[in-house]
Amino acid sequence: MTVERYIFYGLAKVRPGAAFLLFIGFFFFFAQTARAEERCGVPDEVDQLIDTMSQIAATEGPLSKNTMATLNFQLNRAERLMTQDEMSDLGLGGWKSSFDWVFQRGKETLSSGHSIEPDKTHTRIGTLVVGLRFLCEARVSQSKALAQDSDTSAAAEEKNTKGQEEHKSFFDGSARSLATIVAMVLAAIIVFWGGHMLYKWLYVLLNNRRSCHINGSLEIGLDVIDGSIVILGAKGARFRPVNDGAYARIEALVDVSEPMVFPPVLQICDQRFAVDITAVFEGHICCFFCEPIDVKRQNELLENSTVRPRFARKDIPKCNVGLSD
């Protein structure tokens, strides 16, 4: 399976998942290794079935006879491989269960004759591809480290035999050890920071979290506070009261440590949503929908924004009100 083909088929679909696939494409562009190392021992039967399912997930309507035949062929090959040794992880490590899901979804697709839940399939396959890339990188790094250790041991043995390091400086060895420790610490920091940033953006993209400016109100009991929605996602929204006085009223009414008898209601345009208020800070009210909304309904609400909606990172409370497009 080639990562480039997966990204191409993903972006061919005009849906929110395209942004997620675009991010994966850029990630692979900067982190790619040699083509021969891409699969890292994953069998062709596994690789090609994932590739076929990624293409099917980007297809609308009934599948063609050629596509059905290809899928049937790939499923049979993968099934034969899996039955040869049921305890084998097929070189997938901890991602074997994700491939099992893809295999089962392939059988369901073959039975129905059309792509099933293409958005979910794209997301699951995208996560599997990213996971396999990290697994591949780890295996390549481990192999290189073992080879380097072997070369170092051979070189050290040869030098000891020839007696060329009888007067090796203690300080030179200490300096190299210190440099190694510093490099390892820096690498750990970079990996942690990169993983943290990756989590934030994946959260934003998967939940379609957008900054906006939509008129709305928050009802808490008999009190109705006007304001605006400044961030809207599939799971929740951030509400900004119309002024400081309205914000003070909400502070007096809300105790996030105690559940309310009746959930507050957030009105966005002409639609009402029961919400759970989880935080009141910096002039904003953080709300989670009691029932998450789908992407179609969210996009309909975003059409009423007076500014262009933009992706809003999870840890940024500011909105884009007043900014030019």
PDB file of all heavy atoms in Angstrom, residues 250-282:
ATOM      1  N   ILE A 250     -23.710  34.569  35.006  1.00  0.00           N
ATOM      2  CA  ILE A 250     -23.464  33.134  34.795  1.00  0.00           C
ATOM      3  C   ILE A 250     -22.553  32.589  35.883  1.00  0.00           C
ATOM      4  O   ILE A 250     -22.776  31.492  36.413  1.00  0.00           O
ATOM      5  CB  ILE A 250     -22.854  32.904  33.402  1.00  0.00           C
ATOM      6  CG1 ILE A 250     -23.861  33.294  32.321  1.00  0.00           C
ATOM      7  CG2 ILE A 250     -22.430  31.448  33.229  1.00  0.00           C
ATOM      8  CD1 ILE A 250     -23.346  33.141  30.911  1.00  0.00           C
ATOM      9  N   GLU A 251     -21.535  33.342  36.252  1.00  0.00           N
ATOM     10  CA  GLU A 251     -20.635  32.906  37.320  1.00  0.00           C
ATOM     11  C   GLU A 251     -21.401  32.655  38.611  1.00  0.00           C
ATOM     12  O   GLU A 251     -21.104  31.715  39.356  1.00  0.00           O
ATOM     13  CB  GLU A 251     -19.552  33.947  37.553  1.00  0.00           C
ATOM     14  CG  GLU A 251     -18.412  33.899  36.569  1.00  0.00           C
ATOM     15  CD  GLU A 251     -17.268  34.802  36.992  1.00  0.00           C
ATOM     16  OE1 GLU A 251     -17.538  35.975  37.342  1.00  0.00           O
ATOM     17  OE2 GLU A 251     -16.120  34.358  36.976  1.00  0.00           O
ATOM     18  N   ALA A 252     -22.387  33.516  38.889  1.00  0.00           N
ATOM     19  CA  ALA A 252     -23.171  33.371  40.108  1.00  0.00           C
ATOM     20  C   ALA A 252     -24.137  32.182  40.039  1.00  0.00           C
ATOM     21  O   ALA A 252     -24.472  31.585  41.068  1.00  0.00           O
ATOM     22  CB  ALA A 252     -23.961  34.661  40.376  1.00  0.00           C
ATOM     23  N   LEU A 253     -24.558  31.830  38.828  1.00  0.00           N
ATOM     24  CA  LEU A 253     -25.551  30.761  38.679  1.00  0.00           C
ATOM     25  C   LEU A 253     -24.932  29.374  38.557  1.00  0.00           C
ATOM     26  O   LEU A 253     -25.560  28.375  38.886  1.00  0.00           O
ATOM     27  CB  LEU A 253     -26.409  31.026  37.431  1.00  0.00           C
ATOM     28  CG  LEU A 253     -27.367  32.225  37.491  1.00  0.00           C
ATOM     29  CD1 LEU A 253     -27.937  32.503  36.109  1.00  0.00           C
ATOM     30  CD2 LEU A 253     -28.496  31.950  38.481  1.00  0.00           C
ATOM     31  N   VAL A 254     -23.694  29.317  38.082  1.00  0.00           N
ATOM     32  CA  VAL A 254     -23.091  28.027  37.730  1.00  0.00           C
ATOM     33  C   VAL A 254     -22.094  27.587  38.784  1.00  0.00           C
ATOM     34  O   VAL A 254     -21.256  28.355  39.244  1.00  0.00           O
ATOM     35  CB  VAL A 254     -22.393  28.118  36.350  1.00  0.00           C
ATOM     36  CG1 VAL A 254     -21.637  26.821  36.051  1.00  0.00           C
ATOM     37  CG2 VAL A 254     -23.429  28.373  35.268  1.00  0.00           C
ATOM     38  N   ASP A 255     -22.196  26.333  39.162  1.00  0.00           N
ATOM     39  CA  ASP A 255     -21.190  25.685  40.000  1.00  0.00           C
ATOM     40  C   ASP A 255     -20.822  24.392  39.288  1.00  0.00           C
ATOM     41  O   ASP A 255     -21.551  23.402  39.333  1.00  0.00           O
ATOM     42  CB  ASP A 255     -21.743  25.399  41.400  1.00  0.00           C
ATOM     43  CG  ASP A 255     -20.694  24.755  42.304  1.00  0.00           C
ATOM     44  OD1 ASP A 255     -19.562  24.507  41.822  1.00  0.00           O
ATOM     45  OD2 ASP A 255     -20.991  24.498  43.483  1.00  0.00           O
ATOM     46  N   VAL A 256     -19.669  24.395  38.566  1.00  0.00           N
ATOM     47  CA  VAL A 256     -19.304  23.254  37.727  1.00  0.00           C
ATOM     48  C   VAL A 256     -19.018  22.006  38.548  1.00  0.00           C
ATOM     49  O   VAL A 256     -18.953  20.899  38.011  1.00  0.00           O
ATOM     50  CB  VAL A 256     -18.078  23.599  36.850  1.00  0.00           C
ATOM     51  CG1 VAL A 256     -18.412  24.710  35.884  1.00  0.00           C
ATOM     52  CG2 VAL A 256     -16.880  23.982  37.720  1.00  0.00           C
ATOM     53  N   SER A 257     -18.843  22.160  39.869  1.00  0.00           N
ATOM     54  CA  SER A 257     -18.561  20.988  40.701  1.00  0.00           C
ATOM     55  C   SER A 257     -19.829  20.252  41.109  1.00  0.00           C
ATOM     56  O   SER A 257     -19.773  19.140  41.617  1.00  0.00           O
ATOM     57  CB  SER A 257     -17.790  21.418  41.960  1.00  0.00           C
ATOM     58  OG  SER A 257     -18.594  22.269  42.770  1.00  0.00           O
ATOM     59  N   GLU A 258     -20.984  20.874  40.895  1.00  0.00           N
ATOM     60  CA  GLU A 258     -22.265  20.260  41.271  1.00  0.00           C
ATOM     61  C   GLU A 258     -23.159  20.140  40.036  1.00  0.00           C
ATOM     62  O   GLU A 258     -23.340  21.104  39.297  1.00  0.00           O
ATOM     63  CB  GLU A 258     -22.977  21.110  42.328  1.00  0.00           C
ATOM     64  CG  GLU A 258     -22.263  21.153  43.665  1.00  0.00           C
ATOM     65  CD  GLU A 258     -22.278  19.806  44.371  1.00  0.00           C
ATOM     66  OE1 GLU A 258     -23.190  18.990  44.078  1.00  0.00           O
ATOM     67  OE2 GLU A 258     -21.388  19.566  45.204  1.00  0.00           O
ATOM     68  N   PRO A 259     -23.723  18.960  39.766  1.00  0.00           N
ATOM     69  CA  PRO A 259     -24.612  18.814  38.608  1.00  0.00           C
ATOM     70  C   PRO A 259     -25.903  19.589  38.812  1.00  0.00           C
ATOM     71  O   PRO A 259     -26.399  19.720  39.933  1.00  0.00           O
ATOM     72  CB  PRO A 259     -24.870  17.302  38.554  1.00  0.00           C
ATOM     73  CG  PRO A 259     -24.646  16.822  39.959  1.00  0.00           C
ATOM     74  CD  PRO A 259     -23.573  17.710  40.525  1.00  0.00           C
ATOM     75  N   MET A 260     -26.479  20.119  37.714  1.00  0.00           N
ATOM     76  CA  MET A 260     -27.713  20.877  37.784  1.00  0.00           C
ATOM     77  C   MET A 260     -28.915  19.933  37.691  1.00  0.00           C
ATOM     78  O   MET A 260     -28.838  18.871  37.072  1.00  0.00           O
ATOM     79  CB  MET A 260     -27.763  21.904  36.653  1.00  0.00           C
ATOM     80  CG  MET A 260     -26.699  22.980  36.748  1.00  0.00           C
ATOM     81  SD  MET A 260     -26.917  24.250  35.478  1.00  0.00           S
ATOM     82  CE  MET A 260     -25.573  25.352  35.912  1.00  0.00           C
ATOM     83  N   VAL A 261     -30.006  20.357  38.307  1.00  0.00           N
ATOM     84  CA  VAL A 261     -31.236  19.555  38.257  1.00  0.00           C
ATOM     85  C   VAL A 261     -31.732  19.471  36.820  1.00  0.00           C
ATOM     86  O   VAL A 261     -32.086  18.399  36.323  1.00  0.00           O
ATOM     87  CB  VAL A 261     -32.309  20.164  39.167  1.00  0.00           C
ATOM     88  CG1 VAL A 261     -33.606  19.361  39.052  1.00  0.00           C
ATOM     89  CG2 VAL A 261     -31.826  20.207  40.614  1.00  0.00           C
ATOM     90  N   PHE A 262     -31.744  20.605  36.133  1.00  0.00           N
ATOM     91  CA  PHE A 262     -32.126  20.659  34.730  1.00  0.00           C
ATOM     92  C   PHE A 262     -30.942  21.195  33.937  1.00  0.00           C
ATOM     93  O   PHE A 262     -30.380  22.228  34.302  1.00  0.00           O
ATOM     94  CB  PHE A 262     -33.359  21.549  34.515  1.00  0.00           C
ATOM     95  CG  PHE A 262     -34.574  21.065  35.250  1.00  0.00           C
ATOM     96  CD1 PHE A 262     -34.974  21.672  36.435  1.00  0.00           C
ATOM     97  CD2 PHE A 262     -35.313  19.999  34.757  1.00  0.00           C
ATOM     98  CE1 PHE A 262     -36.090  21.228  37.112  1.00  0.00           C
ATOM     99  CE2 PHE A 262     -36.430  19.556  35.436  1.00  0.00           C
ATOM    100  CZ  PHE A 262     -36.823  20.161  36.621  1.00  0.00           C
ATOM    101  N   PRO A 263     -30.544  20.517  32.868  1.00  0.00           N
ATOM    102  CA  PRO A 263     -29.371  20.973  32.115  1.00  0.00           C
ATOM    103  C   PRO A 263     -29.620  22.320  31.458  1.00  0.00           C
ATOM    104  O   PRO A 263     -30.740  22.599  31.010  1.00  0.00           O
ATOM    105  CB  PRO A 263     -29.177  19.866  31.067  1.00  0.00           C
ATOM    106  CG  PRO A 263     -30.522  19.234  30.925  1.00  0.00           C
ATOM    107  CD  PRO A 263     -31.151  19.322  32.279  1.00  0.00           C
ATOM    108  N   PRO A 264     -28.616  23.179  31.405  1.00  0.00           N
ATOM    109  CA  PRO A 264     -28.751  24.442  30.679  1.00  0.00           C
ATOM    110  C   PRO A 264     -29.044  24.173  29.204  1.00  0.00           C
ATOM    111  O   PRO A 264     -28.768  23.083  28.686  1.00  0.00           O
ATOM    112  CB  PRO A 264     -27.385  25.108  30.865  1.00  0.00           C
ATOM    113  CG  PRO A 264     -26.762  24.419  32.039  1.00  0.00           C
ATOM    114  CD  PRO A 264     -27.287  23.027  32.020  1.00  0.00           C
ATOM    115  N   VAL A 265     -29.589  25.162  28.537  1.00  0.00           N
ATOM    116  CA  VAL A 265     -29.918  25.045  27.119  1.00  0.00           C
ATOM    117  C   VAL A 265     -29.164  26.122  26.357  1.00  0.00           C
ATOM    118  O   VAL A 265     -29.256  27.306  26.687  1.00  0.00           O
ATOM    119  CB  VAL A 265     -31.431  25.188  26.883  1.00  0.00           C
ATOM    120  CG1 VAL A 265     -31.737  25.189  25.385  1.00  0.00           C
ATOM    121  CG2 VAL A 265     -32.182  24.052  27.570  1.00  0.00           C
ATOM    122  N   LEU A 266     -28.409  25.704  25.361  1.00  0.00           N
ATOM    123  CA  LEU A 266     -27.678  26.639  24.496  1.00  0.00           C
ATOM    124  C   LEU A 266     -28.452  26.777  23.194  1.00  0.00           C
ATOM    125  O   LEU A 266     -28.688  25.789  22.497  1.00  0.00           O
ATOM    126  CB  LEU A 266     -26.266  26.110  24.220  1.00  0.00           C
ATOM    127  CG  LEU A 266     -25.354  27.015  23.386  1.00  0.00           C
ATOM    128  CD1 LEU A 266     -25.065  28.309  24.132  1.00  0.00           C
ATOM    129  CD2 LEU A 266     -24.055  26.296  23.057  1.00  0.00           C
ATOM    130  N   GLN A 267     -28.878  28.004  22.896  1.00  0.00           N
ATOM    131  CA  GLN A 267     -29.609  28.243  21.654  1.00  0.00           C
ATOM    132  C   GLN A 267     -28.658  28.839  20.632  1.00  0.00           C
ATOM    133  O   GLN A 267     -28.029  29.874  20.869  1.00  0.00           O
ATOM    134  CB  GLN A 267     -30.788  29.184  21.877  1.00  0.00           C
ATOM    135  CG  GLN A 267     -31.568  29.448  20.582  1.00  0.00           C
ATOM    136  CD  GLN A 267     -32.929  30.073  20.836  1.00  0.00           C
ATOM    137  OE1 GLN A 267     -33.479  29.952  21.918  1.00  0.00           O
ATOM    138  NE2 GLN A 267     -33.462  30.751  19.836  1.00  0.00           N
ATOM    139  N   ILE A 268     -28.538  28.175  19.485  1.00  0.00           N
ATOM    140  CA  ILE A 268     -27.709  28.639  18.390  1.00  0.00           C
ATOM    141  C   ILE A 268     -28.625  28.871  17.203  1.00  0.00           C
ATOM    142  O   ILE A 268     -29.234  27.935  16.683  1.00  0.00           O
ATOM    143  CB  ILE A 268     -26.617  27.613  18.027  1.00  0.00           C
ATOM    144  CG1 ILE A 268     -25.829  27.204  19.272  1.00  0.00           C
ATOM    145  CG2 ILE A 268     -25.685  28.176  16.974  1.00  0.00           C
ATOM    146  CD1 ILE A 268     -24.813  26.113  19.014  1.00  0.00           C
ATOM    147  N   CYS A 269     -28.756  30.139  16.800  1.00  0.00           N
ATOM    148  CA  CYS A 269     -29.741  30.518  15.781  1.00  0.00           C
ATOM    149  C   CYS A 269     -31.120  30.071  16.269  1.00  0.00           C
ATOM    150  O   CYS A 269     -31.542  30.465  17.341  1.00  0.00           O
ATOM    151  CB  CYS A 269     -29.379  29.926  14.425  1.00  0.00           C
ATOM    152  SG  CYS A 269     -27.777  30.516  13.813  1.00  0.00           S
ATOM    153  N   ASP A 270     -31.814  29.220  15.540  1.00  0.00           N
ATOM    154  CA  ASP A 270     -33.145  28.779  15.953  1.00  0.00           C
ATOM    155  C   ASP A 270     -33.144  27.353  16.498  1.00  0.00           C
ATOM    156  O   ASP A 270     -34.194  26.746  16.661  1.00  0.00           O
ATOM    157  CB  ASP A 270     -34.112  28.871  14.771  1.00  0.00           C
ATOM    158  CG  ASP A 270     -33.657  28.017  13.592  1.00  0.00           C
ATOM    159  OD1 ASP A 270     -32.494  27.566  13.607  1.00  0.00           O
ATOM    160  OD2 ASP A 270     -34.451  27.813  12.663  1.00  0.00           O
ATOM    161  N   GLN A 271     -31.963  26.829  16.827  1.00  0.00           N
ATOM    162  CA  GLN A 271     -31.863  25.464  17.328  1.00  0.00           C
ATOM    163  C   GLN A 271     -31.420  25.466  18.789  1.00  0.00           C
ATOM    164  O   GLN A 271     -30.604  26.287  19.195  1.00  0.00           O
ATOM    165  CB  GLN A 271     -30.881  24.637  16.482  1.00  0.00           C
ATOM    166  CG  GLN A 271     -31.295  24.543  15.020  1.00  0.00           C
ATOM    167  CD  GLN A 271     -30.455  23.537  14.260  1.00  0.00           C
ATOM    168  OE1 GLN A 271     -30.136  22.466  14.779  1.00  0.00           O
ATOM    169  NE2 GLN A 271     -30.095  23.876  13.025  1.00  0.00           N
ATOM    170  N   ARG A 272     -31.959  24.518  19.577  1.00  0.00           N
ATOM    171  CA  ARG A 272     -31.699  24.462  21.008  1.00  0.00           C
ATOM    172  C   ARG A 272     -30.991  23.138  21.346  1.00  0.00           C
ATOM    173  O   ARG A 272     -31.354  22.087  20.821  1.00  0.00           O
ATOM    174  CB  ARG A 272     -33.011  24.583  21.795  1.00  0.00           C
ATOM    175  CG  ARG A 272     -33.708  25.923  21.603  1.00  0.00           C
ATOM    176  CD  ARG A 272     -35.173  25.857  22.038  1.00  0.00           C
ATOM    177  NE  ARG A 272     -35.321  25.472  23.432  1.00  0.00           N
ATOM    178  CZ  ARG A 272     -35.240  26.322  24.462  1.00  0.00           C
ATOM    179  NH1 ARG A 272     -34.988  27.603  24.226  1.00  0.00           N
ATOM    180  NH2 ARG A 272     -35.380  25.897  25.705  1.00  0.00           N
ATOM    181  N   PHE A 273     -30.004  23.223  22.234  1.00  0.00           N
ATOM    182  CA  PHE A 273     -29.215  22.051  22.600  1.00  0.00           C
ATOM    183  C   PHE A 273     -29.037  22.007  24.120  1.00  0.00           C
ATOM    184  O   PHE A 273     -28.624  23.007  24.732  1.00  0.00           O
ATOM    185  CB  PHE A 273     -27.824  22.093  21.955  1.00  0.00           C
ATOM    186  CG  PHE A 273     -27.844  22.231  20.456  1.00  0.00           C
ATOM    187  CD1 PHE A 273     -27.818  23.483  19.855  1.00  0.00           C
ATOM    188  CD2 PHE A 273     -27.895  21.108  19.652  1.00  0.00           C
ATOM    189  CE1 PHE A 273     -27.830  23.612  18.481  1.00  0.00           C
ATOM    190  CE2 PHE A 273     -27.908  21.217  18.273  1.00  0.00           C
ATOM    191  CZ  PHE A 273     -27.882  22.486  17.684  1.00  0.00           C
ATOM    192  N   ALA A 274     -29.363  20.861  24.707  1.00  0.00           N
ATOM    193  CA  ALA A 274     -29.072  20.655  26.127  1.00  0.00           C
ATOM    194  C   ALA A 274     -27.557  20.482  26.273  1.00  0.00           C
ATOM    195  O   ALA A 274     -26.933  19.741  25.524  1.00  0.00           O
ATOM    196  CB  ALA A 274     -29.798  19.431  26.648  1.00  0.00           C
ATOM    197  N   VAL A 275     -26.972  21.197  27.263  1.00  0.00           N
ATOM    198  CA  VAL A 275     -25.518  21.173  27.399  1.00  0.00           C
ATOM    199  C   VAL A 275     -25.127  20.937  28.855  1.00  0.00           C
ATOM    200  O   VAL A 275     -25.940  21.063  29.781  1.00  0.00           O
ATOM    201  CB  VAL A 275     -24.887  22.495  26.908  1.00  0.00           C
ATOM    202  CG1 VAL A 275     -25.129  22.693  25.426  1.00  0.00           C
ATOM    203  CG2 VAL A 275     -25.423  23.683  27.711  1.00  0.00           C
ATOM    204  N   ASP A 276     -23.864  20.616  29.017  1.00  0.00           N
ATOM    205  CA  ASP A 276     -23.251  20.472  30.337  1.00  0.00           C
ATOM    206  C   ASP A 276     -22.132  21.502  30.427  1.00  0.00           C
ATOM    207  O   ASP A 276     -21.176  21.462  29.643  1.00  0.00           O
ATOM    208  CB  ASP A 276     -22.707  19.054  30.504  1.00  0.00           C
ATOM    209  CG  ASP A 276     -22.008  18.867  31.854  1.00  0.00           C
ATOM    210  OD1 ASP A 276     -22.340  19.619  32.782  1.00  0.00           O
ATOM    211  OD2 ASP A 276     -21.142  17.980  31.948  1.00  0.00           O
ATOM    212  N   ILE A 277     -22.251  22.452  31.344  1.00  0.00           N
ATOM    213  CA  ILE A 277     -21.232  23.500  31.501  1.00  0.00           C
ATOM    214  C   ILE A 277     -20.082  22.930  32.329  1.00  0.00           C
ATOM    215  O   ILE A 277     -20.268  22.525  33.477  1.00  0.00           O
ATOM    216  CB  ILE A 277     -21.820  24.746  32.176  1.00  0.00           C
ATOM    217  CG1 ILE A 277     -22.934  25.348  31.301  1.00  0.00           C
ATOM    218  CG2 ILE A 277     -20.730  25.783  32.448  1.00  0.00           C
ATOM    219  CD1 ILE A 277     -23.624  26.540  31.913  1.00  0.00           C
ATOM    220  N   THR A 278     -18.890  22.895  31.724  1.00  0.00           N
ATOM    221  CA  THR A 278     -17.729  22.291  32.385  1.00  0.00           C
ATOM    222  C   THR A 278     -16.721  23.312  32.880  1.00  0.00           C
ATOM    223  O   THR A 278     -15.874  22.984  33.707  1.00  0.00           O
ATOM    224  CB  THR A 278     -17.015  21.325  31.425  1.00  0.00           C
ATOM    225  OG1 THR A 278     -16.618  22.054  30.246  1.00  0.00           O
ATOM    226  CG2 THR A 278     -17.938  20.181  31.034  1.00  0.00           C
ATOM    227  N   ALA A 279     -16.774  24.554  32.372  1.00  0.00           N
ATOM    228  CA  ALA A 279     -15.799  25.559  32.812  1.00  0.00           C
ATOM    229  C   ALA A 279     -16.329  26.948  32.516  1.00  0.00           C
ATOM    230  O   ALA A 279     -17.045  27.171  31.538  1.00  0.00           O
ATOM    231  CB  ALA A 279     -14.453  25.352  32.120  1.00  0.00           C
ATOM    232  N   VAL A 280     -15.988  27.890  33.405  1.00  0.00           N
ATOM    233  CA  VAL A 280     -16.304  29.306  33.225  1.00  0.00           C
ATOM    234  C   VAL A 280     -14.995  30.060  33.449  1.00  0.00           C
ATOM    235  O   VAL A 280     -14.477  30.096  34.564  1.00  0.00           O
ATOM    236  CB  VAL A 280     -17.379  29.772  34.229  1.00  0.00           C
ATOM    237  CG1 VAL A 280     -17.652  31.257  34.058  1.00  0.00           C
ATOM    238  CG2 VAL A 280     -18.660  28.975  34.070  1.00  0.00           C
ATOM    239  N   PHE A 281     -14.444  30.628  32.393  1.00  0.00           N
ATOM    240  CA  PHE A 281     -13.128  31.251  32.530  1.00  0.00           C
ATOM    241  C   PHE A 281     -12.909  32.299  31.442  1.00  0.00           C
ATOM    242  O   PHE A 281     -13.400  32.173  30.328  1.00  0.00           O
ATOM    243  CB  PHE A 281     -12.007  30.201  32.448  1.00  0.00           C
ATOM    244  CG  PHE A 281     -11.904  29.532  31.107  1.00  0.00           C
ATOM    245  CD1 PHE A 281     -10.962  29.925  30.176  1.00  0.00           C
ATOM    246  CD2 PHE A 281     -12.774  28.508  30.766  1.00  0.00           C
ATOM    247  CE1 PHE A 281     -10.874  29.300  28.937  1.00  0.00           C
ATOM    248  CE2 PHE A 281     -12.687  27.885  29.548  1.00  0.00           C
ATOM    249  CZ  PHE A 281     -11.728  28.283  28.624  1.00  0.00           C
ATOM    250  N   GLU A 282     -12.194  33.338  31.808  1.00  0.00           N
ATOM    251  CA  GLU A 282     -11.748  34.383  30.890  1.00  0.00           C
ATOM    252  C   GLU A 282     -12.877  34.906  29.997  1.00  0.00           C
ATOM    253  O   GLU A 282     -12.705  35.132  28.805  1.00  0.00           O
ATOM    254  CB  GLU A 282     -10.597  33.878  30.025  1.00  0.00           C
ATOM    255  CG  GLU A 282      -9.359  33.508  30.826  1.00  0.00           C
ATOM    256  CD  GLU A 282      -8.219  33.024  29.938  1.00  0.00           C
ATOM    257  OE1 GLU A 282      -8.417  32.974  28.701  1.00  0.00           O
ATOM    258  OE2 GLU A 282      -7.155  32.705  30.477  1.00  0.00           O
TER     259      GLU A 282
END
